[in-house]
Amino acid sequence: DSLLLEAGFLAVLVAPLRLLKWRSTAWRAHDGVTFWLVRWLLFRLMFASGVVKLTSRCPTWWGLTALTYHYETQCIPTPGAWFAHQLPVWFQKFSVVATYVIEIAVPLLFFAPIRRLRLFAFYSQVLLQVLIILTGNYNFFNMLTIVLAFSLLDEEHVGRWLGRSRRRHTSTWRPSLRAVLSTLLELSTYSVLLYWSVRYFGLEINWEKRLLDSKVAFTYHEFTTWLRAVTLPLVGLGFLSLSWEILTAMYRCACVRGCFWKLWATLQWAVFTTATVGMFAISLVPFTYIDYESNGKLWPGIHKMFSAVERFQVVNSYGLFRRMTGVGGRPEVVLEGSYDKQTWTEIEFMYKPGNVSRAPPVVIPHQPRLDWQMWFAALAHHSSSPWFTSFVYRLLQGKKDVIRLVQVDESQYPFRAEPPVYIRAQLYKYWFTGSAEGSEGPTPWWRRQHVQEFFPTVSLGDPTLESLLNQHGLKDKTLLKRSTDAFLPRLLQSLRQISRPFSGPTILWSLYLVAATVCLLRALGRRPRGSVPPARHKGPRRGEPADRGGGEKNGQLRRKEAKEAEEKGEGRARGAADGHSDGPRGTKKKK
């Protein structure tokens, strides 16, 4: 949510503002400046996500064994997570090394002056996000990160995807000095990345066991010393990159034709450059949270600016998977309901693990908030999640809106006819089954073990439930009366009624398909009717006339012009001959 807020605010600056040239698609002079903020956000997100894994001192990240637990202990795994969990341990450890390289080392290439290095960084980030999408349901987060990664591309590379590349590739025997130096620097960068990975992660091929050994070859003190040494220089690197974009945009403003348009472009450049520099300055405060000593060295005015806008969350600090949870097994809360306190029936959720024989779902880009929060609730005592008491209370009351958060299809809810009289919650530990495990029936995806009671048995009017509700201030209160005659509430209510039978992923993907269809129709509508796409000019083949196909009309026109010229020439010659034969009479006629 923090990333979505910051990216949404940057979209306000990046989105085109056309006050005088409406519907103009021309690239504005200052676009490179505001677009740079997207690249800076991507850098802060990825670099901090890699660094916090090591600064947290989590033993699984330092032992390179985090992924042996991650796939089964993440919030909502996918079917691909089960298969990834079956991979050998040496490959899981190598995957952690690759994650460190992509999240810590590769982001430095975001500001590289060589285009191919930025493309390498782009595809590395996209590869990581696609693998995460295949193995985990992280709502819109990974897709949004891929969108941010597009800030590493240029118009030429995107044009190749669309078949609109404008660059002419000419083959020359002697490449320019600039191309040679660029290639050497690119190869040197790849060599440094490879050497850094082999040295600091102890990569070594074990030929006897036919596997790749890896281990962290540096200490926590060495890493924090390195981090303290590079944090402020990275700020300087970002400032130099931004300064280059600002100077380039200023030069583009100077190249605009027309005095008025040049003044208008310069005014826009000044406004958006000021906004960009301000955003960059206040983002330094959350970015330097990775090293508090560097954070204290920032100018005090920057801290004051950040404090003024902190509540709006336009800039945030990031750090994904700081510590690996569920090392001893995935904790999972299982709700149970009963009418007689003797026979208990489990309440299945739509997305989170419950039934061991049910396959993990694929719900991206939907964010099932309740299932997500149930994962956090299982990590501690139920008193750490006050909302859980209210959730149980609403299920006992049979609230339809709350039941729909558990199951959209009411036929899947075991107490659809009448709310349960008693509800309790049990804590289990879940593990993925192994590929070699077999059973008589369908192979289960999970195996589980009961741990303890998570929430006591309660019913409506139970003193324990009433005490918990009063303790957390969750007793029923008088709801604010809202006007139902206004247009917006009625519109939202009708939309909810229409979408009620459908699940979240179905609604979201339907909206995406509608948007894609509209964009496709608009693209086809801009093309004039009956138009033929221009073909490349080709010379005539051997044995064929030069005019063929589209040149036939031009050939007829040239023959017609030649015939008219011949007729004019014959008319002039005939007039001259008549003048000579008439003698004086012809002279008199001329007079």
Side-chain angles (χ1 to χ4, degrees):
D1 291 339
S2 299
L3 181 64
L4 185 63
L5 283 172
E6 185 168 353
F9 183 78
L10 293 186
V12 177
L13 299 177
V14 175
L17 177 64
R18 305 187 182 100
L19 299 179
L20 300 182
K21 291 186 176 182
W22 183 249
R23 296 181 66 84
S24 173
T25 58
W27 177 267
R28 301 164 301 169
H30 65 272
D31 279 342
V33 178
T34 54
F35 204 59
W36 181 90
L37 283 175
V38 181
R39 187 182 305 177
W40 175 246
L41 171 59
L42 177 68
F43 171 78
R44 291 191 290 117
L45 171 67
M46 302 310 301
F47 186 78
S49 299
V51 164
V52 298
K53 293 178 174 61
L54 294 173
T55 57
S56 66
R57 295 191 178 186
C58 178
T60 61
W61 286 115
W62 279 91
L64 304 181
T65 58
L67 291 183
T68 60
Y69 308 101
H70 165 73
Y71 296 116
E72 69 179 3
T73 60
Q74 58 185 324
C75 293
I76 304 178
T78 65
W82 185 91
F83 293 97
H85 184 73
Q86 314 303 322
L87 295 173
V89 176
W90 71 266
F91 187 84
Q92 305 281 21
K93 298 176 70 173
F94 176 73
S95 300
V96 175
V97 174
T99 301
Y100 282 139
V101 173
I102 294 176
E103 291 186 346
I104 298 179
V106 173
L108 300 178
L109 304 180
F110 292 174
F111 310 107
I114 300 177
R115 175 174 174 267
R116 288 193 296 268
L117 289 178
R118 296 195 300 272
L119 294 180
F120 169 76
F122 167 78
Y123 285 109
S124 299
Q125 303 302 321
V126 171
L127 174 63
L128 176 62
Q129 299 306 319
V130 169
L131 292 177
I132 296 176
I133 289 174
L134 294 176
T135 57
N137 291 288
Y138 292 97
N139 52 74
F140 50 82
F141 172 76
N142 304 108
M143 294 183 177
L144 180 57
T145 305
I146 292 176
V147 171
L148 296 179
F150 274 79
S151 61
L152 302 174
L153 301 181
D154 53 18
E155 186 178 358
E156 170 64 24
H157 194 74
V158 177
R160 288 186 180 181
W161 294 351
L162 304 177
R164 301 174 183 174
S165 180
R166 298 180 180 179
R167 179 176 295 184
R168 296 181 179 179
H169 300 278
T170 56
S171 59
T172 56
W173 288 100
R174 298 180 60 184
S176 62
L177 178 62
R178 179 181 178 183
V180 173
L181 293 178
S182 176
T183 302
L184 291 177
L185 183 57
E186 182 182 0
L187 294 177
S188 301
T189 302
Y190 297 146
S191 302
V192 169
L193 279 176
L194 182 60
Y195 172 77
W196 180 84
S197 303
V198 172
R199 177 180 177 181
Y200 290 102
F201 290 102
L203 297 178
E204 183 179 359
I205 300 177
N206 189 328
W207 297 104
E208 295 181 358
K209 298 181 179 180
R210 295 183 180 181
L211 51 83
L212 181 64
D213 290 327
S214 56
K215 62 179 180 180
V216 175
F218 53 89
T219 64
Y220 176 80
H221 176 71
E222 291 174 342
F223 178 75
T224 53
T225 303
W226 172 83
L227 183 61
R228 188 176 301 112
V230 302
T231 299
L232 291 181
L234 287 177
V235 173
L237 175 64
F239 178 75
L240 290 177
S241 177
L242 176 58
S243 301
W244 174 258
E245 294 292 344
I246 292 174
L247 294 176
T248 304
M250 185 171 61
Y251 173 75
R252 290 174 179 170
C253 292
C255 296
V256 174
R257 295 182 179 180
C259 181
F260 174 77
W261 295 114
K262 183 176 298 186
L263 179 62
W264 174 245
T266 305
L267 178 62
Q268 292 185 85
W269 170 84
V271 172
F272 284 96
T273 297
T274 303
T276 302
V277 172
M279 286 290 296
F280 172 71
I282 62 176
S283 70
L284 297 181
V285 176
F287 171 67
T288 52
Y289 283 162
I290 58 178
D291 179 58
Y292 284 99
E293 184 175 330
S294 301
N295 182 269
K297 294 180 180 179
L298 294 178
W299 182 48
I302 295 180
H303 286 277
K304 293 181 179 178
M305 293 170 57
F306 175 74
S307 299
V309 300
E310 183 178 7
R311 59 193 178 109
F312 301 111
Q313 296 186 4
V314 293
V315 290
N316 303 282
S317 61
Y318 302 99
L320 306 175
F321 306 109
R322 189 183 302 268
R323 299 188 65 88
M324 192 56 57
T325 58
V327 173
R330 173 196 181 94
E332 198 68 55
V333 175
V334 176
L335 274 174
E336 296 176 342
S338 175
Y339 291 116
D340 55 6
K341 216 174 183 179
Q342 299 296 326
T343 304
W344 294 92
T345 303
E346 293 188 7
I347 299 177
E348 284 286 332
F349 286 70
M350 286 184 288
Y351 308 114
K352 83 177 194 70
N355 185 355
V356 295
S357 298
R358 190 183 65 175
V362 177
V363 300
I364 56 170
H366 176 53
Q367 166 71 317
R369 300 282 177 174
L370 179 58
D371 297 66
W372 197 273
Q373 291 301 319
M374 289 290 290
W375 181 83
F376 285 101
L379 299 177
H381 192 263
H382 69 81
S383 59
S384 302
S385 304
W387 60 268
F388 188 83
T389 303
S390 180
F391 173 54
V392 171
Y393 180 56
R394 298 306 178 188
L395 291 179
L396 289 171
Q397 290 178 328
K399 293 292 185 180
K400 294 293 184 181
D401 291 338
V402 178
I403 293 175
R404 289 192 71 256
L405 295 177
V406 179
Q407 287 289 347
V408 172
D409 186 3
E410 294 185 0
S411 63
Q412 301 296 324
Y413 186 68
F415 303 99
R416 56 186 178 276
E418 184 180 354
V421 179
Y422 303 97
I423 285 183
R424 69 182 184 183
Q426 302 292 335
L427 183 65
Y428 285 82
K429 287 292 185 69
Y430 276 68
W431 297 270
F432 271 141
T433 57
S435 57
E437 295 183 22
S439 60
E440 297 179 358
T443 303
W445 293 80
W446 301 93
R447 58 184 178 89
R448 72 180 187 179
Q449 180 181 351
H450 181 263
V451 179
Q452 63 184 10
E453 183 182 66
F454 179 79
F455 195 83
T457 303
V458 294
S459 60
L460 290 178
D462 187 279
T464 303
L465 180 61
E466 294 293 328
S467 175
L468 289 173
L469 291 174
N470 290 325
Q471 178 183 347
H472 300 304
L474 298 173
K475 287 292 291 183
D476 288 330
K477 299 179 181 180
T478 303
L479 297 178
L480 297 176
K481 294 183 178 180
R482 300 180 180 179
S483 175
T484 57
D485 297 334
F487 172 74
L488 185 58
R490 287 190 286 109
L491 176 62
L492 293 177
Q493 188 64 25
S494 60
L495 290 177
R496 287 173 180 169
Q497 292 294 336
I498 294 174
S499 61
R500 187 177 296 273
F502 307 102
S503 63
T506 303
I507 295 175
L508 285 178
W509 281 113
S510 299
L511 292 176
Y512 290 156
L513 291 177
V514 169
T517 303
V518 170
C519 293
L520 179 61
L521 293 177
R522 288 184 61 184
L524 295 177
R526 292 173 184 170
R527 184 175 175 180
R529 296 182 178 179
S531 64
V532 179
R536 295 182 179 179
H537 176 72
K538 297 181 179 180
R541 298 179 181 177
R542 292 184 179 181
E544 294 184 359
D547 292 327
R548 47 181 190 150
E552 182 179 353
K553 184 176 181 180
N554 296 332
Q556 294 177 356
L557 182 61
R558 287 194 296 269
R559 288 193 294 270
K560 183 177 180 181
E561 291 176 352
K563 186 176 181 180
E564 291 177 355
E566 290 177 0
E567 292 178 355
K568 289 181 180 179
E570 291 176 0
R572 291 175 182 174
R574 190 180 299 110
D578 292 342
H580 287 296
S581 61
D582 292 341
R585 188 181 300 174
T587 305
K588 189 181 291 184
K589 287 181 180 180
K590 287 182 179 180
K591 290 181 180 180

